[in-house]
Amino acid sequence: MLSNYFTVKETGEHEIVIERSRFIAHFARATTEAEAIEFIQRIKKMHHSANHNCSAYLIGEHDHIQKANDDGEPSGTAGVPMLEVLKKRKLKDVVVVVTRYFGGIKLGAGGLIRAYGKSVSEGLNAIGVVERKLMQIVHTKIDYTLLGKVENDIRSSPYMIKEINYLEQVEILTYVAVKDLQNFKEYLINLTNAHATIEDGSLEYLEEKIL
């Protein structure tokens, strides 16, 4: 698992108009090629009357799956520039379809490359990009007498509480960057005078919007 990576914030779409042609960029996350293909087919069905539904996707930790499709536009003028924008933004596990409704004015090869690239770039700005950071969920069990002190101290620290479970003892679940795990445990031991049970939980990605 990557310690961090960038991807689209959410599924969404954004439209621009260039020389009377409508370019609608549709974005989604996709962790498998099957998911990407399903999304592309869904958009094609939704916009079956469009002139073109061009697509591109990047999947995998090392971008080992990447495809671009011009869907009838001149070769290399749509899918490839769309894919290049995704690469330039260093995105992963993302699929984009740009639907074009022809407005009657031909753009030429250079114009098409710029138009499809712009559609994806401006679409990303509108939909948003997030950084996903791999975090260890740390389970800390303490007596109720320590709750106020520990909770207040953690909330004023760089660490983030995920949830608090009120059981026989209080259980605090905290997001901790993997590289900070040992420092966090030492911090808790000092904070509670070693009166805490600390266990590693699952690994989860925490998202932070960057755009």
Side-chain angles (χ1 to χ4, degrees), residues 18-21 23 73 100 102-109 111-112:
I18 299 175
E19 296 290 355
R20 300 210 305 250
S21 281
F23 291 84
E73 292 282 28
R100 183 190 183 192
F102 183 53
I105 299 175
K106 293 184 177 181
L107 301 178
L112 287 172

Side-chain angles (χ1 to χ4, degrees), residues 113-171:
I113 290 170
R114 288 189 294 274
Y116 280 99
K118 182 178 181 180
S119 179
V120 175
S121 183
E122 292 195 6
L124 288 171
N125 292 342
I127 300 300
V129 170
V130 294
E131 181 177 10
R132 303 194 80 211
K133 298 179 179 179
L134 187 62
M135 307 293 254
Q136 179 81 58
I137 306 299
V138 177
H139 297 244
T140 306
K141 292 181 180 178
I142 55 174
D143 291 334
Y144 278 82
T145 54
L146 290 171
L147 175 59
K149 174 186 178 182
V150 173
E151 181 182 0
N152 289 338
D153 209 287
I154 293 177
R155 291 195 186 281
S156 61
S157 76
Y159 306 109
M160 182 183 298
I161 291 176
K162 180 183 180 183
E163 61 183 89
I164 298 177
N165 297 319
Y166 300 93
L167 307 170
E168 185 175 338
Q169 285 188 301
V170 183
E171 183 183 45

Side-chain angles (χ1 to χ4, degrees), residues 33-188:
E33 190 165 22
E35 288 179 1
I37 292 170
E38 189 279 331
F39 179 75
I40 293 166
Q41 294 303 320
R42 179 152 47 92
I43 298 302
K44 283 188 171 184
K45 186 176 181 180
M46 186 186 308
H47 292 278
H48 60 88
S49 62
N51 298 88
H52 308 278
N53 285 289
C54 307
S55 58
Y57 52 86
L58 275 176
I59 298 171
E61 289 188 10
H62 304 291
D63 303 332
H64 64 282
I65 301 174
Q66 47 182 285
K67 296 284 179 64
N69 190 300
D70 296 313
D71 194 40
E73 292 282 28
S75 179
T77 62
V80 170
M82 292 164 58
L83 184 63
E84 287 304 312
V85 173
L86 301 182
K87 290 180 178 180
K88 186 177 180 181
R89 297 289 187 98
K90 299 181 180 179
L91 302 184
K92 295 185 180 298
D93 291 349
V94 59
V95 54
V96 58
V97 180
V98 174
T99 299
R100 183 190 183 192
Y101 287 93
F102 183 53
I105 299 175
K106 293 184 177 181
L107 301 178
L112 287 172
I113 290 170
R114 288 189 294 274
Y116 280 99
K118 182 178 181 180
S119 179
V120 175
S121 183
E122 292 195 6
L124 288 171
N125 292 342
I127 300 300
V129 170
V130 294
E131 181 177 10
R132 303 194 80 211
K133 298 179 179 179
L134 187 62
M135 307 293 254
Q136 179 81 58
I137 306 299
V138 177
H139 297 244
T140 306
K141 292 181 180 178
I142 55 174
D143 291 334
Y144 278 82
T145 54
L146 290 171
L147 175 59
K149 174 186 178 182
V150 173
E151 181 182 0
N152 289 338
D153 209 287
I154 293 177
R155 291 195 186 281
S156 61
S157 76
Y159 306 109
M160 182 183 298
I161 291 176
K162 180 183 180 183
E163 61 183 89
I164 298 177
N165 297 319
Y166 300 93
L167 307 170
E168 185 175 338
Q169 285 188 301
V170 183
E171 183 183 45
I172 302 175
L173 277 63
T174 311
Y175 289 107
V176 181
V178 175
K179 63 181 178 63
D180 294 332
L181 195 55
Q182 190 56 42
N183 288 338
F184 178 72
K185 290 179 179 179
E186 292 175 1
Y187 157 78
L188 279 179

